[in-house]
Amino acid sequence: QVQLVESGGGLVQAGGSLTLSCAASGRTFSSYAMGWFRQAPGKEREFVAVIGWSGSFTRYADSVKGRFTISRDNAKRTVYLQMNSLKPEDAAVYYCAASSKLWGGEESDFEHWGQGTQVTVSS
């Protein structure tokens, strides 16, 4: 299995930037598609971005496309989410997750989840 730990959350002003990291443990990290999800208080968890096994395939939610960038470093067993032009609507707990499907699939296909890191955006 793979275990995931997010870091890099914090408080940032609207329009600012923040980069999240997700460190993975396990011997098969490169075999997983990695995704980022977020959940704001009182709201359901939503998809943010996903990156395929090789790192060449990426997909983003419309709400973050053009502002967020997902990347991975398989040698470091780490996936990143660079967030630019942050908006108050981006405030949430951000989770990274791993899927054995090549392209990630649906939320239910993500088998392993981290504990989340808080991102707060002030207006």
Side-chain angles (χ1 to χ4, degrees):
Q1 294 188 345
V2 59
Q3 295 177 333
L4 308 173
V5 180
E6 304 94 336
S7 63
L11 174 64
V12 63
Q13 290 186 331
S17 299
L18 199 64
T19 299
L20 307 181
S21 299
C22 176
S25 62
R27 297 183 296 175
T28 58
F29 175 77
S30 62
S31 298
Y32 289 87
M34 300 296 299
W36 286 97
F37 298 79
R38 66 188 183 186
Q39 186 170 24
K43 297 183 178 180
E44 296 183 352
R45 186 167 58 198
E46 64 175 340
F47 166 77
V48 176
V50 65
I51 186 167
W53 293 354
S54 68
S56 61
F57 168 81
T58 58
R59 179 180 173 87
Y60 298 89
D62 290 341
S63 59
V64 306
K65 191 172 184 178
R67 299 188 297 119
F68 291 10
T69 302
I70 188 171
S71 62
R72 67 189 296 164
D73 187 332
N74 288 346
K76 296 182 178 180
R77 295 185 175 184
T78 303
V79 62
Y80 306 92
L81 183 68
Q82 182 175 335
M83 304 181 293
N84 299 324
S85 302
L86 282 162
K87 304 175 181 179
E89 308 92 88
D90 296 318
V93 175
Y94 282 71
Y95 300 89
C96 67
S99 171
S100 60
K101 295 189 67 175
L102 180 62
W103 310 116
E106 300 179 351
E107 181 174 328
S108 60
D109 294 313
F110 286 81
E111 183 178 8
H112 306 284
W113 294 79
Q115 295 301 306
T117 185
Q118 177 71 53
V119 173
T120 303
V121 183
S122 61
S123 60

